[in-house]
Amino acid sequence: MSNLVEVKNLCVDYITFDGPIRAVTDVNFNIKKGEILGLAGESGCGKSTIAFSLMRLHRPPALISEGKIEFEGKNVLEMSDSELRKYRWQGASMVFQSAMNCLNPVKTIEYQFWDVFDAHDMVSNREESIKKAKELLRIVDIPEDRLFDYPHQFSGGMRQRVVIAMALALKPKLLIMDEPTTALDVVVQREILQKVYQLKEQFGFSILFITHDLSLMVEFCDRIGIMYSGQLVELAPAKEILQSPYHPYSDGLGNSFPTLIGDLQEMRGIPGTPLDLSKVPPGCRFAPRCHLAKETCHIKPPHIHQQNECRLVACHYPINTSDNRDQLPIKLTQVAEV
Ligand SMILES: Nc1ncnc2c1ncn2[C@@H]1O[C@H](COP(=O)(O)OP(=O)(O)O)[C@@H](O)[C@H]1O
Ligand SMILES: [Mg+2]
């Protein structure tokens, strides 16, 4: 699979009155064609900042201070206004956490589809827009006669499906979903993700799926990147992250929710609180909370490196690797087969 997106050395700062705060530090990853890549990590670790940067939707005080975001080989950060217009919606589109904030409450769904189609010259008249919008509603399992309703007449799950249909309106190659189902109950959450997966198989787009819910992600993603304090600390095939995490933080995240099969295990969680980005320590950012940290960890920052063929990790003493599996017998998390 070739790469659709390549993020290279991305650094994003928020310019505050107390000086710049680096919310994303030197992040590298790629998204392959047709792949679902997940980004997980605690609140405030920089996931949304990356999503907004990919869409070039970041606004002051956010500033991309270093790095490149390449989409099909073209740097998104250097696109002209007209290129950017085409890139948004047709190249990449985004589903935000709260559908209610994306839909205009005083306009019908029909009008909002028309607005998108018209702005991108995708239809020649209103009838054509209605026809296309009905098709899109159908693919997300919403009866087409609901097209003329207002957002408040839909349930939360339906609204989120409308937003997904809208995001797919211009057949994007990349769908970015930033906590798309966090506000919904688990049953609706699952239904929506199954639908998105089906659509991905049907249309072949790639997905960047962002959530703090690692258990949801493991079912849905091909690979998962784990973020901590603005840095990518591990990147691996989805199930490997849970079965044999290399980074102690990934291990902690995996142990923060109960398994569905096997013996009851005590959940360990992660002690401490996320780092204050205005006071970044000299060594590894996770070291103050890491139960395996040694002296080096507090002095020297680890760089993300290829630990094996398909896995990257930023840790001086990665766990569960062949180098030190014996010395550090971390209990492997049992993964529910779904
Ligand atoms: N407008 C802003 N001004 C200053 N700091 C911000 C702003 N938006 C986000 N941040 C900071 O950037 C960091 C990353 O935020 P965000 O990308 O929203 O994280 P996540 O999506 O992982 O919860 C956080 O520490 C947050 O406080
Ligand atoms: Mg966020």
Side-chain angles (χ1 to χ4, degrees), residues 89-100:
W89 294 85
Q90 292 179 51
S93 67
M94 186 157 163
V95 174
F96 298 89
Q97 177 169 347
S98 171
M100 209 50 192

Side-chain angles (χ1 to χ4, degrees), residues 98-302:
S98 171
M100 209 50 192
N101 296 344
C102 313
L103 295 169
N104 186 336
V106 297
K107 299 283 184 193
T108 65
I109 299 298
E110 187 278 321
Y111 179 88
Q112 302 190 46
F113 272 106
W114 158 247
D115 203 22
V116 174
F117 289 136
D118 186 44
H120 291 268
D121 296 325
M122 295 300 286
V123 291
S124 48
N125 56 45
R126 196 73 173 242
E127 274 76 73
E128 200 186 337
S129 164
I130 292 175
K131 191 162 166 268
K132 273 182 179 267
K134 284 183 173 173
E135 271 166 36
L136 284 161
L137 282 192
R138 220 175 304 127
I139 66 167
V140 292
D141 301 329
I142 292 181
E144 54 181 52
D145 58 355
R146 302 294 307 272
L147 184 63
F148 296 91
D149 287 350
Y150 288 86
H152 73 268
Q153 293 172 288
F154 292 90
S155 68
M158 284 174 106
R159 273 199 297 269
Q160 199 57 298
R161 274 186 279 147
V162 169
V163 171
I164 290 167
M166 238 173 235
L168 297 178
L170 270 56
K171 302 204 165 41
K173 295 175 181 162
L174 173 69
L175 182 66
I176 299 174
M177 303 177 81
D178 188 5
E179 311 251 11
T181 56
T182 303
L184 305 171
D185 66 75
V186 284
V187 177
V188 177
Q189 211 172 47
R190 178 170 286 268
E191 276 170 14
I192 288 185
L193 292 183
Q194 276 167 348
K195 189 75 228 174
V196 171
Y197 188 81
Q198 244 178 35
L199 295 172
K200 181 211 89 112
E201 292 289 286
Q202 193 178 340
F203 299 112
F205 50 84
S206 310
I207 300 177
L208 177 65
F209 181 56
I210 294 175
T211 175
H212 59 271
D213 186 343
L214 193 55
S215 58
L216 194 66
M217 200 167 246
V218 169
E219 288 182 46
F220 188 61
C221 297
D222 298 308
R223 288 185 304 151
I224 295 179
I226 305 284
M227 296 217 27
Y228 185 75
S229 276
Q231 294 178 319
L232 190 68
V233 294
E234 184 162 4
L235 185 67
K239 288 206 168 160
E240 290 185 24
I241 282 262
L242 266 197
Q243 282 168 333
S244 57
Y246 283 179
H247 199 286
Y249 178 65
S250 315
D251 184 51
L253 273 189
N255 272 298
S256 304
F257 61 89
T259 61
L260 295 177
I261 57 163
D263 299 333
L264 269 184
Q265 289 176 14
E266 194 182 333
M267 286 191 289
R268 269 190 272 126
I270 307 167
T273 50
L275 194 71
D276 175 353
L277 287 172
S278 61
K279 295 184 199 111
V280 174
C284 169
R285 295 184 179 192
F286 186 59
R289 298 172 74 186
C290 182
H291 62 298
L292 299 169
K294 300 180 186 173
E295 206 185 330
T296 332
C297 305
H298 294 281
I299 301 166
K300 200 171 126 206

Side-chain angles (χ1 to χ4, degrees), residues 315-335:
C315 179
H316 292 304
Y317 305 101
I319 56 177
N320 290 317
T321 57
S322 51
D323 312 340
N324 59 4
R325 183 171 273 150
D326 300 336
Q327 295 96 301
L328 294 166
I330 299 294
K331 206 192 300 173
L332 299 189
T333 315
Q334 278 179 291
V335 186

